Amino acid sequence: MLDAAALIAQKTPGGVPALAQRMGVSANTLQHKLNPNNATHHLTLREAMALQQVSGLPYVLHAMAAGLDFIALRCRPDDAQGDVVEAFMRVQLAMGEFTSAAADAQLGHGVTRNALRRVEHQANEAMASISHLVSALAAQVPNRLQE
């Protein structure tokens, strides 16, 4: 996770000084906290969150999720608004878009970075749509004290 935090600093224009300024902390202290060889300074959870928020790079989140055998996806609104039939149709549409992106990526002369980004995006959309369908169905389960 510390490697992920350090990578955020490397990928952010202006590096540690720019991040520190936007986080409202000392650049020197932040540099020490991002140094894996420094045993006296440690990045707090709040600082890790702020680092990701100001940079827009959720690398620590993904590293934590991977370390726990989870994945983290960007949230998107439930366009079906709880309607099960609409949610089901959106799952099918998302699966079609994912299938199209995956097929297109394999055409031509090797998979490009843009093609991979499109496949990843469509995969995330499909997973979010499936999650919304499951939530819509779960909302319809009667809440009984005894079953």
Side-chain angles (χ1 to χ4, degrees):
M1 288 176 282
L2 188 53
D3 289 341
L7 183 59
I8 291 171
Q10 291 174 6
K11 295 276 187 178
T12 300
V16 172
L19 286 169
Q21 181 181 12
R22 290 167 50 200
M23 291 171 62
V25 298
S26 159
N28 188 42
T29 301
L30 183 59
Q31 183 68 53
H32 287 303
K33 290 182 177 194
L34 295 176
N35 180 351
N37 299 317
N38 188 315
T40 59
H41 292 74
H42 305 283
L43 195 66
T44 68
L45 290 174
R46 282 195 175 111
E47 290 166 336
M49 181 71 151
L51 183 71
Q52 294 172 99
Q53 287 175 322
V54 301
S55 70
L57 301 172
Y59 297 166
V60 175
L61 169 68
H62 289 284
M64 291 177 77
L68 297 168
D69 293 329
F70 283 83
I71 59 170
L73 303 173
R74 182 179 297 278
C75 246
R76 68 173 184 77
D78 178 5
D79 296 331
Q81 298 177 349
D83 182 301
V84 174
V85 174
E86 181 70 21
F88 181 73
M89 290 185 338
R90 289 180 184 276
V91 166
Q92 297 309 309
L93 177 63
M95 291 304 295
E97 293 291 334
F98 170 71
T99 301
S100 176
D104 289 349
Q106 297 175 56
L107 298 175
H109 304 289
V111 178
T112 66
R113 288 176 199 238
N114 284 340
L116 177 59
R117 279 190 210 102
R118 181 174 168 228
V119 170
E120 289 172 337
H121 172 75
Q122 294 303 333
N124 290 340
E125 291 294 308
M127 287 184 273
S129 295
I130 291 167
S131 178
H132 292 315
L133 173 59
V134 171
S135 294
L137 288 167
Q140 292 189 0
V141 174
N143 187 10
R144 298 183 184 151
L145 294 176
Q146 294 178 337
E147 290 190 24

